[in-house]
Amino acid sequence: MFDSILDKTKTALEKTKSAVDKIESPQLRNAAAAVLLIGGFAILWVLIPKNAVENYPVGASAVPQDAWMAVSLSTDPGQWEKLQKQGTAESQKLLNEQLLQLRSRFLTPYGLDYAKDIQPWVGREVMVAWLPPQVGVGAGGTSPSSRQPAIVPKATEPVVMVLPVDNQGRAKELLEKPKPLQQGQWVSRTYKDVPIKEIQGAPGDNYSAALLDNRFLAVTTDAKATERVIDTYKSGQSIAKTPGYKEAVAKIEAPDPLARVYVNWPVATNMAAMNAVRLLPPQGKNQLQKFQGFAATVTQEPEGIRLQGISWLKADSEKKLAVENKAKSALSRLPADTLMIWSGSNLQRLWQDYALGAQGNPFAPMSPEWLQQGVASNTGLNWEKDLLAWMAGDFSVSLIPAVPGSATQFPAALVLMVQSNDRRSAEKSLLQLDKVMSQRYKFKVEAVKVAGQPVVNWTSQYGGVTLSRGWVSGNVAFLTLGAPVAGAISPRPKAPLLLSESFKKAVPSEFDASNSIFFIDVERTLNSKQFTLPQLPPVPQTLVSAIRTIGLTSSIVSERSTRYEVFIQPKQEGTPGASPNPSPQPQAKPSATGSPTPSR
């Protein structure tokens, strides 16, 4: 449609220009040219739909504001062809199988062929959204933004798909003259002057579809959900109107994205809490719901897949984020062959934020009280007063491989490094730990020299287990467990992690000021045979086996928002054979291909 508008406008302007050129008077010709220029812009302003310049995903204006998640997928076949060439032969085969299953489940039973029936009219991306079911509220009641969703089991969540229309005639024909069904029948009805087609009497999903202003084809798995979409489209109370949504999406905009994701944090946590094994107390729920949303853009690059994300707090939230981005300073203290690292800006602040958010939170991986009690009972020290009090600097937790040729049964060592804000207090606490390890656990505590630097080793009387502690860079304490790697970090690594090619590819250099950094060499850790790891189920194992490295960076950009960037570097092991044309459909996170022509 957009291309057609441009062609017609161009033809009209060319004819007008020809007429202007025939004017003999230079003054009149200049005046006519000026009028032509102004008129041209006026024509474009009138003809081009105003949503063409909006920065949010196509279809967002039709998705109810209480959707807990929405995913936009590119319909450019080139995008999906590139994706199918990533990874290993096994992962490529898995992707093709999933696409075949989508076609068999969602197209074949309804007599549809993606290339013939969908691709000719669909726009550049489609949006799929998952809604919380509502009990006791009619679709024609209050607006989606003002309703409080009643949460029920996930199996009954309505799913909405919004397909932008680039060819109105083909889309209307598909809706008005649907293909004969193998089972069930098509039924027509009208809601608020919008014609709706529904499937009744068929096993499985009974789809409902409506054409909105000849611009969007909305397909849902629930008749009431279709009415909610129509209400949303007419009222304007869509996810595009969520506070902070458009501003957040604009900050992570990228050309030709493969996918765009939005998570409505308050609704998503509501649903997760109701489906949790144990109930979420009010204080824990209040902490979780201070966040408004999370948005991400996924793009493909020559060497991998990049995700740019942003999260933001509610406008009325009292919570504020501390703008502290010092995680990168920890990287210079680790060797280039580091297998995995997680670094942060301030361990003390991180724990305080975690402890506050984890109170009564059933999703927290560890109870703050559990750690506090564990430290007290096993060491006699107070976790917050004796240890955390001097850990207000940057930190890192890493996995460093054993030095080749070293006499050890461990392939690597787990290393904790923390920058201290009070070395005197730190030394006092560490001496207390030396005493506990010696007297209570009968470890051999021995002061030695490593590369000319003082190091204290704790060695089990039963052999095998050795811990080492020491200092680097003056005020950075380290503790190692496993292989003897103190020489690789003390006094400093010969080649730091920042110079590693695999690290530089995985961790974006744009975010020099980072609040948190994560990196893992998947090939040398999860995919290697030197570590004894639990066996993953077949599908996750296939995906993990297709990855080389993963890097993640987060940065606090303001008191209310955080930026994220993730890069996944897959293996490149040839290309798969011909794959089916996938079709985007509800009830699954679809993989869609189609026309690259933009929808306007």
Side-chain angles (χ1 to χ4, degrees):
M1 182 175 70
F2 185 64
D3 291 339
S4 176
I5 291 174
L6 288 182
D7 290 340
K8 292 178 181 178
T9 304
K10 180 180 178 183
T11 301
L13 292 179
E14 285 176 347
K15 291 181 178 179
T16 308
K17 180 180 182 298
S18 177
V20 170
D21 289 340
K22 294 178 182 180
I23 298 176
E24 296 182 358
S25 170
Q27 290 82 4
L28 289 176
R29 188 161 56 244
N30 291 338
V35 171
L36 169 64
L37 183 63
I38 295 172
F41 281 115
I43 291 171
L44 288 173
W45 176 255
V46 172
L47 292 179
I48 297 176
K50 299 306 178 289
N51 72 318
V53 296
E54 296 287 9
N55 56 34
Y56 51 79
V58 175
S61 59
V63 174
Q65 202 171 80
D66 62 350
W68 71 268
M69 185 170 72
V71 179
S72 294
L73 297 168
S74 171
T75 57
D76 179 1
Q79 289 271 15
W80 297 96
E81 288 170 5
K82 285 194 293 184
L83 183 63
Q84 288 173 283
K85 295 176 183 178
Q86 304 279 6
T88 63
E90 289 76 15
S91 66
Q92 293 165 3
K93 180 181 177 183
L94 177 63
L95 176 61
N96 284 337
E97 289 174 350
Q98 294 300 313
L99 298 180
L100 278 170
Q101 289 179 15
L102 287 174
R103 186 182 69 174
S104 300
R105 178 181 178 188
F106 298 115
L107 289 182
T108 305
Y110 308 108
L112 296 174
D113 179 271
Y114 181 78
K116 295 180 180 179
D117 301 312
I118 308 294
Q119 187 172 350
W121 58 263
V122 74
R124 70 175 182 265
E125 64 181 343
V126 298
M127 175 170 279
V128 186
W130 287 260
L131 308 181
Q134 296 181 320
V135 179
V137 179
T142 57
S143 65
S145 61
S146 64
R147 294 191 295 245
Q148 180 63 38
I151 309 303
V152 298
K154 185 176 180 180
T156 60
E157 293 171 13
V159 181
V160 173
M161 172 166 286
V162 181
L163 299 93
V165 175
D166 267 2
N167 187 318
Q168 297 180 10
R170 296 293 294 270
K172 289 184 67 175
E173 181 181 359
L174 180 66
L175 189 61
E176 294 173 357
K177 299 178 181 178
K179 303 281 185 177
L181 298 173
Q182 296 177 1
Q183 291 181 288
Q185 61 180 346
W186 290 101
V187 176
S188 299
R189 67 184 180 95
T190 300
Y191 177 76
K192 292 188 176 179
D193 299 325
V194 178
I196 299 175
K197 285 282 188 179
E198 296 175 353
I199 297 176
Q200 293 184 3
D205 299 317
N206 289 326
Y207 291 108
S208 175
L211 193 60
L212 308 175
D213 287 343
N214 292 325
R215 295 179 56 221
F216 301 107
L217 179 64
V219 182
T220 76
T221 58
D222 178 79
K224 291 297 182 182
T226 301
E227 295 179 1
R228 291 171 61 187
V229 170
I230 295 172
D231 287 339
T232 297
Y233 186 72
K234 288 180 174 291
S235 69
Q237 295 301 316
S238 65
I239 60 172
K241 297 298 183 181
T242 299
Y245 176 81
K246 286 195 289 187
E247 294 80 2
V249 170
K251 292 177 182 177
I252 56 173
E253 200 167 7
D256 301 320
L258 174 68
R260 295 197 270 185
V261 180
Y262 164 68
V263 177
N264 182 332
W265 195 249
V267 180
T269 53
N270 261 342
M271 299 191 69
M274 293 301 293
N275 286 281
V277 175
R278 55 192 178 95
L279 294 178
L280 180 64
Q283 66 271 22
K285 183 177 179 180
N286 291 338
Q287 289 296 324
L288 289 173
Q289 295 208 339
K290 290 181 179 180
F291 288 89
Q292 178 65 65
F294 170 80
T297 300
V298 182
T299 55
Q300 295 190 83
E301 298 183 3
E303 293 191 350
I305 300 171
R306 188 175 303 278
L307 181 150
Q308 299 179 69
I310 186 168
S311 64
W312 66 100
L313 296 168
K314 286 183 177 179
D316 59 353
S317 172
E318 297 178 358
K319 179 181 177 67
K320 292 184 178 180
L321 305 174
V323 183
E324 193 170 18
N325 300 301
K326 302 176 182 178
K328 190 174 181 180
S329 57
L331 304 180
S332 60
R333 308 181 194 118
L334 296 168
D337 61 349
T338 299
L339 299 170
M340 182 178 68
I341 175 182
W342 170 43
S343 66
S345 299
N346 186 322
L347 184 58
Q348 186 182 97
R349 188 185 302 278
L350 175 70
W351 173 259
Q352 292 169 349
D353 290 342
Y354 175 81
L356 182 63
Q359 290 179 356
N361 181 0
F363 313 113
M366 177 184 63
S367 164
E369 293 80 10
W370 176 84
L371 180 62
Q372 293 166 343
Q373 294 171 4
V375 170
S377 61
N378 288 287
T379 67
L381 298 177
N382 183 289
W383 163 238
E384 294 183 344
K385 294 181 179 180
D386 296 326
L387 297 173
L388 202 64
W390 52 267
M391 298 180 177
D394 63 74
F395 69 94
S396 68
V397 179
S398 60
L399 189 65
I400 299 176
V403 178
S406 60
T408 177
Q409 61 180 328
F410 300 102
L414 187 65
V415 180
L416 169 66
M417 303 181 82
V418 183
Q419 185 180 45
S420 171
N421 57 301
D422 186 350
R423 177 159 176 167
R424 179 176 296 180
S425 297
E427 289 280 15
K428 180 180 178 181
S429 297
L430 292 173
L431 288 173
Q432 286 181 268
L433 281 177
D434 289 344
K435 186 176 181 180
V436 171
M437 297 301 292
S438 174
Q439 296 182 356
R440 181 181 297 187
Y441 299 105
K442 307 304 179 183
F443 272 61
K444 179 182 179 182
V445 178
E446 181 182 20
V448 299
K449 291 279 188 177
V450 175
Q453 302 297 311
V455 172
V456 176
N457 288 335
W458 302 338
T459 305
S460 170
Q461 61 178 327
Y462 303 107
V465 179
T466 300
L467 295 90
S468 298
R469 71 168 183 85
W471 293 87
V472 297
S473 302
N475 65 339
V476 178
F478 72 82
L479 177 67
T480 75
L481 170 63
V485 298
I489 58 177
S490 179
R492 65 183 62 85
K494 295 178 181 179
L497 181 60
L498 287 169
L499 299 180
S500 165
E501 287 300 320
S502 60
F503 179 83
K504 288 192 292 185
K505 288 180 180 179
V507 177
S509 59
E510 303 91 79
F511 295 100
D512 287 338
S514 303
N515 179 262
S516 180
I517 295 174
F518 174 80
F519 166 76
I520 179 171
D521 190 322
V522 179
E523 185 67 7
R524 293 193 296 147
T525 52
L526 302 180
N527 293 337
S528 70
K529 299 186 181 299
Q530 61 176 329
F531 294 95
T532 303
L533 300 170
Q535 183 65 37
L536 294 173
V539 172
Q541 182 60 56
T542 298
L543 298 177
V544 169
S545 299
I547 298 174
R548 291 190 186 280
T549 60
I550 299 175
L552 181 151
T553 302
S554 71
S555 300
I556 309 290
V557 294
S558 72
E559 292 182 339
R560 313 201 72 80
S561 63
T562 304
R563 281 288 305 272
Y564 305 90
E565 186 141 344
V566 181
F567 185 76
I568 300 174
Q569 183 185 26
K571 296 178 182 178
Q572 305 288 347
E573 296 185 1
T575 60
S579 62
N581 284 323
S583 171
Q585 295 291 337
Q587 260 333 51
K589 293 183 175 56
S591 297
T593 63
S595 169
T597 304
S599 171
R600 298 294 186 188

